[in-house]
Every structure is written in structure tokens, then in C-alpha cells.
Amino acid sequence: MIVQSPARVRGKYEQPIASIRYDDASVRKVPFGDLRLADFTWSVPWRKFRSVHGQTHYSGRYASATMAGPVVYESRLELARLLLADMDPAVRGIYAQPCHLTARVGGRVRRHVPDFLLVMDSGVVRVVNVKPADRAADPKIAEALAWPGELVGRHGWEYEIWSGADRVLLENVRFLAAYRRPGLVPEADIERAWECVRDGDRLGVAERRLAAGRPDHEARPALLALVWSGRLTTDLSRPLSGDWVLRRSA
């Protein structure tokens, strides 16, 4: 699939365009080749959030710890990818529906709104589209997802089509997300837990040591807050239990 270059296309949309909506209701059109991360400062999702009685999709606003504010999603699958990004310490920025892409592909004008744009600590920018595996395998949908990937790849950014993850992993991340909000667990308790836990501790052992005579369950929130933040890691493909092995991050 070829996204045609300006030298090969005449007329409207001679080059791919990214349209970005801002919080003052303005829209800026940027040639995709000139697009920079700074262009998303003060941007808002391209589509307005909608929720009506009887709608078939599941949409909402998620209170992101990474963004210290709401991020929109339009399906449960999008919410799952959003949760994973929010928990990932390598992600420092999450933009939902970041822009509206327009390009001439094979002589035909195509349009697309990516689901997410992730900004990594490394400086890498990743454009993410979320589609169930059965739909992504449909030739028409696969084609619709392919040309944005070619465009993004030529720009030097990463491109991801995400169709889900292990069920236990997602259940653990959903559970841990309850500990993402600053202040829910006192910071002093979190730092006390960090000083107490040893690399390789099982969760139950760390709880007993940290509880110091109190009921063990009272120590668990601080430890789980450390897992959410990435300061402690464990095998999230295993169901939550006292046998979780905790590792201190570098």
C-alpha cells in the first residue's frame, strides 16, 4: 500500500495532513511530515465524547495517573489498552484521538482518527490503534489500518495495532489501578513499605514484616501502590496472591 508523496499527487491533499483540535475549539492543519510532539500541547480528542441511552459501544472518561486528568475511550478494549499505558512507567504522555489524518492512498482520499498517541520516556512516540483480533483480520479493516501505519513509520514514529492481552494480566492491572490516585495511600506509608520490602520477597512475607503486629491486610495497599507505580514489579500473568514475588526496580 502506497501513501503517495507530493511529487506524485496533484490536486487536493497533495500531502498527508494531520488536523488537531485544541481546547479553545480551534483546529490546526499540519502537513504530516512537519508534525511534532509539541503540536499536541493543549490539544483535545478529535471526536467529542458522546454517551446516549441504548448505544452499542462502551465509552467513558478514565482518570489517568499519567496525565493527572481524564482520557477518553470508546470501548472496553480501548480502556484495557489505556490502563496498560497508564501503569507503564515508560509512558509519560497519553493522548486519545490525537488527530484526524487525511491522505491520498492509491489515488483515493482516505481519512483516519488513531485511538491513542503514547509518548515514551525515551522520546519515542507511538501511535496505537485498538481493534479486536477478529475485526483486525477482516481485509477491509486491515487495509484501513495499514496506511496510517505506513505513514507513521515513514515519519520515524512507532505504530501498534493492539487486539488484547492475557485475561489475568488485565484483571490484575484493573485491580491495581485502584491504587493509582495520589493520596489514596498516604505517601509516608508507601515510603515505609519501600524501605521495608526486600528484593525477592513474596507479597505475604512483605506484608507481615511491614504490618509489624497489625493485621497483614492493612499493609497491602502500600505494597500494591508500589507495584502500580513500577517501583516494585512482579509476574502479573499470575492471579493476585501472597505468593507474588516482588522485585525492586533499579
Side-chain angles (χ1 to χ4, degrees):
M1 180 169 299
I2 302 298
V3 180
Q4 292 169 286
S5 65
R8 299 174 61 185
V9 179
R10 295 181 180 179
K12 196 174 182 182
Y13 304 116
E14 291 186 347
Q15 56 185 323
I17 296 293
S19 300
I20 305 171
R21 196 183 305 278
Y22 293 95
D23 57 3
D24 62 358
S26 65
V27 173
R28 182 183 174 206
K29 295 181 182 293
V30 182
F32 196 85
D34 297 334
L35 191 63
R36 299 294 180 266
L37 184 57
D39 293 314
F40 297 97
T41 304
W42 307 114
S43 67
V44 297
W46 179 258
R47 289 190 289 266
K48 292 184 177 179
F49 174 80
R50 60 190 186 280
S51 180
V52 296
H53 178 70
Q55 66 186 27
T56 57
H57 60 282
Y58 182 89
S59 57
R61 292 183 175 89
Y62 166 76
S64 165
T66 302
M67 300 302 289
V71 178
V72 302
Y73 58 90
E74 292 190 323
S75 70
R76 291 183 184 274
L77 196 62
E78 284 189 20
L79 176 58
R81 184 64 185 91
L82 179 52
L83 282 163
L84 290 173
D86 202 34
M87 186 179 175
D88 187 347
V91 175
R92 63 177 175 87
I94 306 171
Y95 297 88
Q97 301 172 18
C99 60
H100 178 277
L101 301 177
T102 307
R104 189 178 294 273
V105 183
R108 175 185 170 193
V109 174
R110 304 293 296 268
R111 296 175 174 83
H112 178 72
V113 178
D115 293 318
F116 298 109
L117 183 147
L118 306 181
V119 185
M120 317 304 286
D121 264 339
S122 63
V124 168
V125 177
R126 181 181 303 160
V127 175
V128 179
N129 275 315
V130 176
K131 277 287 182 291
D134 58 342
R135 295 193 63 200
D138 181 286
K140 289 184 178 180
I141 293 178
E143 180 188 11
L145 294 174
W147 71 263
E150 182 181 335
L151 188 63
V152 168
R154 285 189 354 208
H155 193 53
W157 290 356
E158 293 183 352
Y159 184 65
E160 172 187 314
I161 299 173
W162 193 83
S163 298
D166 176 75
R167 178 183 60 82
V168 174
L169 168 66
L170 291 176
E171 288 178 354
N172 283 331
V173 171
R174 289 189 187 101
F175 179 78
L176 290 167
Y179 299 92
R180 72 189 185 278
R181 300 174 186 271
L184 180 66
V185 181
E187 193 63 32
D189 291 356
I190 294 174
E191 293 307 314
R192 191 178 302 113
W194 176 248
E195 294 299 325
C196 176
V197 70
R198 299 168 186 166
D199 190 66
D201 269 348
R202 295 188 182 277
L203 178 60
V205 171
E207 286 176 344
R208 286 192 292 276
R209 185 185 308 121
L210 182 59
R214 297 176 297 151
D216 292 356
H217 69 268
E218 293 184 10
R220 180 166 288 195
L223 292 166
L224 295 183
L226 286 168
V227 175
W228 168 265
S229 70
R231 295 173 70 185
L232 291 178
T233 61
T234 191
D235 182 2
L236 293 177
S237 68
R238 299 179 58 198
L240 171 63
S241 76
D243 288 331
W244 265 5
V245 177
L246 304 175
R247 295 293 181 186
R248 295 171 67 93
S249 60

